[in-house]
């Protein structure tokens, strides 16, 4: 099939390359000329494991092209919308300007029988409004909403072999087209849920709300553990054995971040309020508040460990991205902690395997050191805030030889407290004894 993908960021670039792998011919469109120039040359503009190979294969096959001109989407019969839906600057609502612009750009190129497929995460009700606009345009094109569940760091595998595919449709012809698009995944047994627009939009919002709730739940337990001497990791292991609860997403730490969960729960609250159902998701505001409190907790622990002030103390911050195996620092708790410590006058040296470039754009005031040993050298305190494999695997003896004082805050509860304490470290986890 001939496919266009409008918006080639973390979602769209992976989706475009994956569509080629699934046998389609793809044109990726983005308004960012630098991004398009890189993609067209087979260079991945962000870090995502497995994407460079997929992109190069696609570009070399001649079936994956890129353009900044949306009229180049003409001739494709399926058009995916994968543009950003960030939080508005002055409220929690989703900013739909980019989605609206993508639809404006697409309408003139649509032909009868084409299918526009929304993948961006949008407030419930958006798809129905876009369907009405496409209808009014008289093009004879159809709309489907097909939310995306990929996880950064696993985006390629999640796109090629998703754990479920959801179609929000109002015309069964759209289902037929999507079945053709996803034929390979469907043949391998991927569950397919066909529903209406509103349910499809809400599936995505509800999934992220649930995941955020699970993380903030265990972080709330960490807060209680901290004042009772209980251990949240043992608690999570014990409750996680209950199959109804499950152990995944029950790791207490500095909380969630990234380009999805924080803005999606805020947009959900804002949309529920518009719908007169604010109280139905009022708990999400508390989920958000618990999440943000964990960052403060790390800063408070740093102050405590350094004897009442971080001023002019050298702090090695390990990790900047919101999760490992990504370079994404959007709403990253790790970067936020680094910036807060710097704001208190600490001599912060921040390191990250992939996140330095993006962090520097947001916080140029911070000192960045790509070499881990150099970042650790002479530190009065080590703060681990993103659980990259190399930080999890750090040998406490070696770190002890590099730092000025053996103090460590394990903001992700991934280090072995006994191993660090046994070589003289003052170790603090979150909600850990
Ligand atoms: N990143 C994820 O893990 C993920 C997972 C599931 C869903 N989503 C959702 O997917 C959407 C995109 O997220 P992302 O992380 O890829 O964002 P992103 O910011 O990385 O990418 C968005 C891209 O859209 C481009 N764009 C903006 N306006 C455009 C226009 N009018 N025409 C063409 N391109 C345009 C931007 O230049 C940018 O490259 C969001 O709604 C997000 O919530 C993201």
């Amino acid at each position: 099939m001939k496919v266009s993908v409008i918006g080639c960021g973390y979602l769209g670039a992976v989706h475009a390359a994956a569509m080629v792998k699934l046998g389609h011919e793809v044109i990726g469109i983005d308004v960012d000329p630098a991004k398009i120039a890189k993609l067209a040359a087979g260079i991945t503009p962000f870090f995502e494991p497995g994407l460079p190979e997929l992109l190069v294969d696609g570009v070399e096959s001649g079936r994956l092209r890129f353009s900044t001109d949306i009229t180049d989407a003409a001739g494709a019969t399926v058009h995916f919308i994968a543009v950003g839906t960030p939080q508005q600057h002055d409220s929690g609502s989703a900013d739909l300007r980019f989605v609206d612009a993508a639809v404006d750009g697409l309408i003139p190129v649509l032909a009868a029988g084409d299918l526009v497929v929304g993948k961006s995460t949008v407030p419930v009700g958006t798809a129905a409004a876009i369907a009405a606009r496409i209808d009014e345009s008289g093009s004879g094109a159809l709309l489907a909403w097909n939310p995306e569940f990929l996880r950064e760091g696993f985006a390629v595998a999640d796109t090629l072999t998703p754990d479920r595919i959801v179609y929000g449709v109002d015309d069964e012809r759209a289902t037929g087209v999507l079945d053709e698009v996803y034929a390979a995944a469907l043949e391998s047994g991927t569950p397919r849920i066909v529903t209406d627009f509103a349910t499809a939009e809400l599936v995505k919002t509800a999934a992220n709300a649930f995941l955020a709730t699970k993380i903030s739940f265990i972080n709330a337990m960490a807060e209680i553990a901290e004042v009772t001497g209980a251990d949240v990791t043992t608690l999570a292991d014990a409750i996680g054995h209950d199959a109804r609860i499950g152990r995944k997403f029950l790791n207490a730490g500095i909380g969630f971040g990234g380009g999805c969960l924080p803005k999606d729960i805020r947009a959900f609250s804002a949309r529920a309020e518009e719908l007169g159902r604010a109280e139905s998701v009022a708990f999400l505001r508390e989920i958000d508040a618990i999440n943000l409190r964990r960052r403060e907790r790390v800063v408070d622990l740093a102050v405590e460990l350094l004897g009442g002030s971080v001023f002019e103390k050298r702090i090695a911050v390990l990790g900047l991205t919101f999760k490992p195996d990504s370079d994404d620092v959007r709403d990253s708790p790790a970067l936020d902690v680094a910036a807060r410590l710097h704001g208190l006058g600490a001599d912060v040296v921040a390191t990250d395997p992939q996140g330095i470039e993006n962090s520097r754009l947001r916080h140029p005031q911070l000192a960045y050191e790509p070499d881990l040993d150099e970042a650790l050298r002479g530190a009065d305190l080590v703060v681990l805030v993103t659980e990259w494999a190399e930080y999890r695997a750090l040998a406490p003896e070696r770190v002890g030889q590099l730092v000025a004082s053996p103090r460590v805050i394990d903001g992700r509860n991934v280090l072995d407290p006994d191993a660090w304490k046994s070589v003289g470290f003052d170790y603090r986890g979150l909600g850990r004894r």
Side-chain angles (χ1 to χ4, degrees), residues 277-309:
R277 292 296 334 165
E279 65 273 39
S280 303
V281 293
F283 67 95
L284 288 178
R285 296 202 190 278
E286 200 51 47
I287 296 305
D288 203 4
I290 294 166
N291 193 52
L292 296 175
R293 278 206 299 273
R294 294 282 78 193
R295 304 173 185 192
E296 272 165 42
R297 170 70 183 161
V298 171
V299 173
D300 290 349
L301 270 179
V303 170
E304 188 189 312
L305 268 179
L306 290 168
S309 169

Side-chain angles (χ1 to χ4, degrees), residues 6-12 29-32 35 46 70 82-86 97-99 101-102 119-122 148-152 204 208 259-260 263-264 322 328 330:
I6 318 301
C8 293
Y10 286 96
L11 188 167
I29 311 275
D30 202 288
V31 289
D32 181 342
K35 200 174 271 187
F46 51 88
I70 199 160
V83 298
T85 48
R97 270 181 303 168
F98 307 108
V99 172
K119 289 206 81 64
S120 302
T121 304
V122 293
E148 178 57 58
F149 304 100
L150 70 81
R151 298 161 299 165
E152 284 175 27
K204 176 65 193 173
N208 277 356
C260 291
K263 61 110 174 147
D264 287 349
F322 84 100
D328 195 347
R330 290 179 289 184

Side-chain angles (χ1 to χ4, degrees), residues 342-356:
H342 174 87
L344 292 176
D347 172 14
V348 170
V349 181
T351 188
D352 189 282
Q354 294 293 337
I356 290 180

